[in-house]
Amino acid sequence: MSRTSILVLACLLAACAASPEKQLEKARERLTAGDLAAAGEAANAGLGGGATGPVAWRLELTALESEARRGLTAQVLARLERLAGTWASQLNGGLYVQTARQVKEAGDAAGAITVLDAGAKRLPKDTAISQAIAQAKGTENSAELERLRCLGHVE
């Protein structure tokens, strides 16, 4: 195959690649269908495909939800930390609380407390986070209580 043919083929493949908007659509469809891993892959592909502005933010949220609902706490925390640098004005306590709830529903109760703690450190005056931590203190879940103790929220 000649260099020209290879170049033309490469250009055609690049043109056929899904746009960030299409990846967002695919990611949301997969999330709705419960295919959480595929949703995360599509969201990350859209982010890697040069997404900007509102599309990039929506892709980040979709990827975050995919990770949280799979109980990937370390990845959730890393993404939240990165978002705090890039999208600081978009981050709020409600997002941390929602994400913590998703992590807990995925089976990582202690991880959910860690997410709330990260939110409390990032947004110390946020009432949604404070209320979620106060509510968690009343739990009977030993993993949650132990994590609250380790992080200094319970004596």
Side-chain angles (χ1 to χ4, degrees):
M1 191 179 275
S2 71
R3 281 193 212 190
T4 305
S5 297
I6 292 172
L7 183 58
V8 169
L9 181 59
C11 289
L12 287 173
L13 288 174
C16 292
S19 68
E21 291 82 3
K22 290 286 185 190
Q23 291 290 49
L24 175 60
E25 185 179 317
K26 180 180 177 182
R28 286 183 168 173
E29 287 172 2
R30 297 292 77 216
L31 201 59
T32 300
D35 191 349
L36 303 176
E41 289 170 11
N44 286 322
L47 290 165
T52 59
V55 171
W57 174 245
R58 289 191 294 271
L59 284 163
E60 290 284 9
L61 291 177
T62 303
L64 178 65
E65 182 175 347
S66 164
E67 293 162 354
R69 289 177 56 192
R70 287 185 286 156
L72 303 175
T73 307
Q75 289 173 297
V76 164
L77 292 167
R79 187 172 300 273
L80 285 168
E81 185 61 29
R82 192 176 69 253
L83 292 176
T86 310
W87 298 93
S89 64
Q90 299 287 90
L91 240 51
N92 59 50
L95 180 61
Y96 280 93
V97 171
Q98 174 184 327
T99 302
R101 186 178 319 113
Q102 292 166 342
V103 168
K104 182 177 179 179
E105 288 170 359
D108 188 2
I113 298 300
T114 305
V115 171
L116 289 174
D117 184 65
K121 288 176 179 165
R122 173 83 41 208
L123 305 165
K125 295 181 182 180
D126 188 273
T127 56
I129 295 170
S130 298
Q131 290 172 349
I133 290 172
Q135 185 177 12
K137 290 177 183 179
T139 187
E140 294 181 16
N141 183 309
S142 61
E144 281 182 281
L145 288 171
E146 183 56 33
R147 193 69 188 139
L148 285 164
R149 276 188 203 93
C150 288
L151 294 171
H153 295 288
V154 174
E155 293 180 15

